[in-house]
Amino acid sequence: MSASHSAPTQASPMNVIGRPHPRVDGALKVTGAARYAGDHYLPGMLYAVPVGATIAKGSITAIDAGVAEQMPGVRAILRRGSFPPLGRAELDMSSADTTSILDEFRPPFDDDVVRYYGQYVALAVADSFEQAKAAADAVRVSYAVEIPDVDPALVAEKMTVKSERGDAEAGFAGAAVTIDQRYAMAPETHNPIETHATLAVWEGDALTLHETTQGVINHRNVVARMLGLPAEKVRVISRFLGSGFGNKLWPWTHSPLAAAAARTLGRPVKLVLSRAMTFQSVGHRPRIEQRIRLGATADGKLTSVRHDYVNATSILDSYEENCGEATPHMYSTPNLRVTAGIARRNIGTPTSMRGPGAVPGLYALESGMDELAVALGMDPVELRLRNEPSIDEGLGVPFSSRHFQECLRVGAERFGWSRRDPRVGAMTRDGLTLGWGVAACSWIAERFASNAAVDLRDDGTARVACAIQDIGTGTYTVMAQMVAERLGLPTDRIEVALGDTRLPAGPVSGGSMATASLVAPIHEAVAKAGAALIAAACAAKDGPFSGSRPEELDFVEGKITAKTGNRQAMGFDTVLKALGMPAISGSGSGTGTFMAPGKPTVSKHSFGAHFVEVTWQPETARLRVARTVSVIDAGRILNPLAARNQIEGSVVMGIGMALFEETHYDARNGAPVNASLADYVVATHADAPAMDVHFLEYPDTSLNALGARGVGEIGLAGTAAAITNAVYHATGVRVRELPLKLEHLMS
Amino acid sequence: MSDPTSNPFSAVEPNSDLLSVVLRINGASHALQIDPRATLLDCLRDTLQLTGTKKGCDHGQCGACTVHINGRRRNACLALAAVHEGDEILTIEGVGTPDRLHPLQAAFVARDAYQCGYCTSGQIMSALALLQEPCGPGDDEVREYMSGNLCRCGAYANIVAAIQDVRGQS
């Protein structure tokens, strides 16, 4: 395991930005003291356990709760009609304060129609978890059953053009070398180790939710609309989140259900989903089928790229997996056509899963590029180097900062790619066949609108606040770093407050955008606090800067300094004490770039290259991912310790995507049959390879003053393709259906 | 010993359906009235508010609820609380505190051996047991011994590094 950095950027005064920084919340996490949503308990709290439909298509004809209602400790078996119907939240993306986004729009208990297995049909509420669980199991639901459609073979309702240039058909027809292949991917379930939890408590007409959410503000706004409340009557708290990978981005139906139950029963209600429920009703990455057609000249210049894809979605919601996100800008080609479609199934609504769109899309594109390299008899690194675009040819604008070729070259060097024998099965070590594969990765670099507030305090500490979340990526720490750097303080003097809608409105933690979104508002908040301190110091009748004019002073690294003369600078704590003020505040805000109206003037993306070595033992059919090298161009890295962890974690998840992960739906009743962590296999300690992560570190100041992009998702893009490309090199078998199974290799 | 009716968070009325048990947890005795169906995991969390032990799957598949019973690591979700009277139970709260970290906990912080932190208690309880188990010196052996503890964030490399730091094997 190693990590290193090239092109070091200028060190900040406190060396706190850009250096490995242990997490400021680490001691709470390693002692069990960090309290997650489900760790909260309130006096008189009741426990709720949902009853999920055991069919995937049909309607409820009767709910017999007679036995359940008589069981010890049971307070209610709630169902449609037990409380006034919940409202439907409408999509609103207009501002950081009002965002209202969700994927499953139908409110729980809205009608008696069942459209997927596990759809909530009732809710058992009791004094203890054991009582609620037993009661939920005792509820008898009768259905008019219909045959569900969970067919994995996808046919789109219609195909929509997402990006087009030139004449892709003619470019393909006239190409010297072509490939035309289909790639399929099984439905994946996110499976953060923390399952979803809601603790709902009412005080009068005001609701507080302790919630597992990647977006407290968005969650508040959605739940307020469903409950018919003004947003200011709802508080959502998520101070620690047991990750989410996207399935806690948008509210799911259990949350308003818990709130409605608490309102109906006049008691706090805790609802924690079982692991099995998280396979049913909180989103997943749907099954995706893609077709890649590539045409190239004999010397490997692309003449045509076609990328067509279809994803499954639910009956009511039109979730689109944007697989073509990276395709238009990844390589230079005069002719390109990307089309997309959806196919409806009796399965719960899909949602964003780490790197939505680009991750499955780059699995297909980067598999196709490897197949093209084989068809051309060309090294796959060389093929990619030859098709480097000078601008984003999809948008027709320059890249803000693209160093993909350097990722390939540095990665090849670190991996030892020059020693690769391209012949299938030609490389061996210790009796094992080696396979070496490469694939590119890319991910959007954008920011959301956000606000922040900073308090400077007379004890020499500062507090930074934003209603953003730390989903495990290190947001607490990077916020502390940002303020520490501006104030010239160590991070242990910075208090970070996040995960609470009472704080200045912040964005969702998604799209790898949290860090980039925070820079401008935090910098402005520090500057405003400093300006307020200067104004107060100048206005004071008696104090160190009495009689000065604000324009004569500066606030630099936490100190008031005179712009001219050699007057000694004075720290904010000393000034505050002299003024008799306990604290002074500043607030800042930053605009968003994500989905901003108008045509962008620059294309902002991160890039990278993964190199993978697999070992293959044909005698025992044993396939292992042995080592990986990932070179990532994601702007300036603010905390290399946390950033490397993100890339390594993504590579581990990519091993799962390539080799293990698949949600199976029973054709008879639509149930996800492997809805457990024993049967849905994720990568374990024993599956983790030796990983080398390297960041190029070219600051991209198009997004923020620190030059940071984001690193949460890009590492998952391309990993699966690099693995299956390596498997081809080892075995000669091209696997075009994820996850790869041993039977693919043994046939 | 705590008063059996002192749990302010329990809505359950003490009654004849409940069992009276005394559990030894982190060196202290707790007299409890518990549902005979309660797992040790739910008892720790719901009855004692010892929430450092996490529920990830409730089926013994993820390891997030790992505790020690008489010095051996166990999945608390697969143990019925009522049958562990007289046993010495150790949870993450008994290992160290934020102000006084156990060396293993300090190593996890130094190595960034987590991301979201939700599986971390279980990882540390397993690692703490591993230190006493006949685990070979290599990283591969540690990986095998730790494979009952899933980390979906995938911080495996750093977890192994933290454990090896404490074992003096890095």
Side-chain angles (χ1 to χ4, degrees), chain A residues 277-338:
Chain A
M277 290 172 192
T278 69
F279 282 78
Q280 299 160 0
S281 48
V282 291
H284 57 280
R285 197 195 311 268
R287 179 172 169 82
I288 303 160
E289 296 184 351
Q290 305 182 67
R291 183 180 182 188
I292 295 285
R293 279 171 280 187
L294 302 175
T297 61
D299 62 350
K301 292 287 287 180
L302 286 166
T303 58
S304 177
V305 172
R306 296 179 74 177
H307 187 177
D308 311 292
Y309 50 91
V310 183
N311 68 264
T313 186
S314 56
I315 299 299
L316 293 180
D317 299 297
S318 299
Y319 174 83
E320 282 189 28
E321 185 83 23
N322 185 21
C323 297
E325 194 274 324
T327 310
H329 71 251
M330 203 63 228
Y331 299 110
S332 179
T333 179
N335 307 300
L336 173 140
R337 186 176 161 92
V338 177

Side-chain angles (χ1 to χ4, degrees), chain A residues 187-205:
Chain A
E188 289 186 295
T189 300
H190 304 63
N191 276 309
I193 301 300
E194 175 195 44
T195 63
H196 294 62
T198 303
L199 168 55
V201 55
W202 291 82
E203 288 166 272
D205 61 351

